Amino acid sequence: MLWIAAFVVVLLAVIGSLVWLALWLNSNPVADSPRGSAPGVLETTVTPPATPLPLPREGVTPADYALGDCFKDFDPEALAATVVACDTPHSAQLVALFRYPEAETYPGAEALKAKALEACQAAKLGPAANNFALNFERSFPSTTSWESGDRRADCYVTAAGGNVINASVLP
């Protein structure tokens, strides 16, 4: 009986300690900004209009891609793309992006790759996404493009079969 009482006291102490730790972590302002996380803005909701009409628009540079844009014959490494209306055949759509502050120093390729993955994980897809075989692709600045002012880590959904998507995959 004495062992059971001791066990209960230890169990209550452990539970009390965990509750205290959870409350302390929740009230600690550093907990809201994990160590090593970059300040910036994650965008996952389209604010119309995306790319200005009329569409299609050829020669749109990556810096001018807008969240929700749909792309014909998309190549994430190209210097320009053709933005089309999402209800016409296309092969990719920009579904999330992370913008680093202008004053931010180059965080390195691995950190940028991780931030683009974070953007992909935060992307909210609508029901139309279930109608297509889609993959996530990430794009992020090189050291050269960072020096030119590129501060975006982008997440796209793409279709391996070419221009087979014919609807926006965003909600």
Side-chain angles (χ1 to χ4, degrees), residues 25-36:
L25 287 173
N26 194 34
S27 67
N28 187 352
V30 174
D32 292 337
S33 175
R35 175 168 291 184

Side-chain angles (χ1 to χ4, degrees), residues 79-94:
L79 297 177
T82 300
V83 178
V84 298
C86 290
D87 60 355
T88 62
H90 57 280
S91 61
Q93 184 170 5
L94 180 58

Side-chain angles (χ1 to χ4, degrees), residues 16-98:
S17 297
L18 290 174
V19 168
W20 174 83
L21 180 62
L23 290 172
W24 179 78
L25 287 173
N26 194 34
S27 67
N28 187 352
V30 174
D32 292 337
S33 175
R35 175 168 291 184
S37 77
V41 177
L42 176 65
E43 297 177 34
T44 59
T45 305
V46 178
T47 306
T51 292
L53 299 175
L55 296 176
R57 289 190 54 173
E58 295 182 15
V60 179
T61 62
D64 294 325
Y65 295 168
L67 187 62
D69 277 352
C70 293
F71 304 93
K72 182 178 177 188
D73 301 321
F74 184 68
D75 175 2
E77 295 181 21
L79 297 177
T82 300
V83 178
V84 298
C86 290
D87 60 355
T88 62
H90 57 280
S91 61
Q93 184 170 5
L94 180 58
V95 295
L97 61 95
F98 183 85

